[in-house]
Amino acid sequence: MTKHVNLNPHHGVAGRHPTREFLDTLSGHSDPGKFGRMFPGLPALKVADAALQELAEAMVDNDELTGDNLNIPAGFTYLGQFIDHDITLDHTSLGEKARDPQATENFRTPSLDLDSIYGSGPDGSPHLYARNLAGGKTKKLLIGRNINVAFGNVQGDFRNDLPRNQEGHAVIGDHRNDENLIVAQTHLSFLKFHNTVIDLLAGEGVPEEDQFNEARMLVTWHYQWMVLHDFLGRLTMTGIVDKILHDGRKFYRFKKHPYMPVEFSGAAYRLGHSMVRQTYDYNRV
């Protein structure tokens, strides 16, 4: 039975209360940079081709009605892709990796901070933000318009696309979020969410100079809650998230700066590729 953990920060006890000695045990790894290894001494996995073929065949969805995971909505596959792009980005070429695998760097912060949405903020990434024609500080993110196409008779002024330049490239904090329609629309939903929160804060009388930072904080908190209590809860064994929140980390350690384990980004989290389904139902606009 899963032990109940009080996660409400307003009353009672929230999460675990680590001692100094316990925190010291989490400092066993030096800071490897933005990418690192949790198990540097672990030998490489070697699997026979026959076992890999058997695994591949088991992953094929042969029944569209019963083959899909009914506990994980179809869109969660691409929410997972969006999360991946928010915490990992490696510009290292394959040649450089072959010469020096330890030189791989993460150009994303390994935390759920939505830097793929906000970039460096209105000052550092002004191309991501709508111009405030009223003369005030820029607060809203750019939203693009759909083009009119004959296919599906999509006609009208729909603001349901990512902002794009004249070449059609998405003007967003991470170009990978335009790889397919569903992850692009997931990115768009966060743009719209932020802009809606700006309107709500303005309606509540929050000073204009405080609206952007307040909106980003609220959007990020909702995103983090969703990842921790909905997304991870669906992917893992029942109760495992509460157990880690209560007992703390067991293997992932660092001295000062969190890093992205390659065992996670390059191996474990690749489970998302196996979640792609045979068919999807898209909204025509």
Side-chain angles (χ1 to χ4, degrees), residues 14-191:
R16 58 192 171 92
H17 287 259
T19 63
R20 179 70 262 171
E21 290 75 19
F22 176 74
L23 290 176
D24 287 341
T25 67
L26 299 181
S27 301
H29 294 184
S30 60
D31 291 329
K34 292 187 176 180
F35 270 121
R37 295 181 182 273
M38 292 176 64
F39 309 103
L42 197 66
L45 176 66
K46 296 182 179 179
V47 182
D49 289 347
L52 293 175
Q53 182 64 36
E54 184 180 354
L55 174 63
E57 292 173 355
M59 290 164 55
V60 176
D61 181 5
N62 294 316
D63 187 336
E64 293 186 5
L65 295 179
T66 61
D68 288 334
N69 189 328
L70 300 180
N71 295 321
I72 304 179
F76 272 53
T77 303
Y78 299 92
L79 173 62
Q81 185 180 16
F82 175 88
I83 295 168
D84 174 61
H85 294 171
D86 188 45
I87 57 180
T88 63
L89 175 61
D90 175 23
H91 287 308
T92 311
S93 70
L94 291 177
E96 290 174 314
K97 291 178 183 178
R99 289 193 297 270
D100 184 6
Q102 303 298 328
T104 304
E105 294 185 19
N106 186 7
F107 290 85
R108 276 273 174 266
T109 57
S111 58
L112 300 169
D113 59 2
L114 288 178
D115 59 338
S116 60
I117 292 290
Y118 292 104
S120 298
D123 296 327
S125 304
H127 57 286
L128 302 180
Y129 294 84
R131 180 180 298 175
N132 191 332
L133 299 179
K137 187 176 180 180
T138 300
K139 303 181 294 295
K140 288 191 172 184
L141 289 155
L142 277 173
I143 304 291
R145 286 185 172 88
N146 294 44
I147 60 174
N148 292 331
V149 293
F151 179 75
N153 191 29
V154 179
Q155 306 290 328
D157 184 17
F158 300 107
R159 282 191 171 270
N160 282 332
D161 194 13
L162 300 172
R164 300 183 182 278
N165 64 16
Q166 60 186 7
E167 299 296 330
H169 298 302
V171 183
I172 53 179
D174 192 315
H175 65 280
R176 298 173 298 172
N177 283 350
D178 195 30
E179 286 181 354
N180 58 69
L181 177 62
I182 307 181
V183 75
Q185 288 289 294
T186 302
H187 190 108
L188 175 67
S189 68
F190 279 94
L191 303 181

Side-chain angles (χ1 to χ4, degrees), residues 173-214:
D174 192 315
H175 65 280
R176 298 173 298 172
N177 283 350
D178 195 30
E179 286 181 354
N180 58 69
L181 177 62
I182 307 181
V183 75
Q185 288 289 294
T186 302
H187 190 108
L188 175 67
S189 68
F190 279 94
L191 303 181
K192 290 185 173 183
F193 183 26
H194 168 86
N195 290 352
T196 299
V197 174
I198 288 288
D199 290 337
L200 290 172
L201 294 174
E204 293 174 355
V206 174
E208 186 172 356
E209 62 272 16
D210 298 331
Q211 290 173 12
F212 174 79
N213 289 335
E214 182 78 10

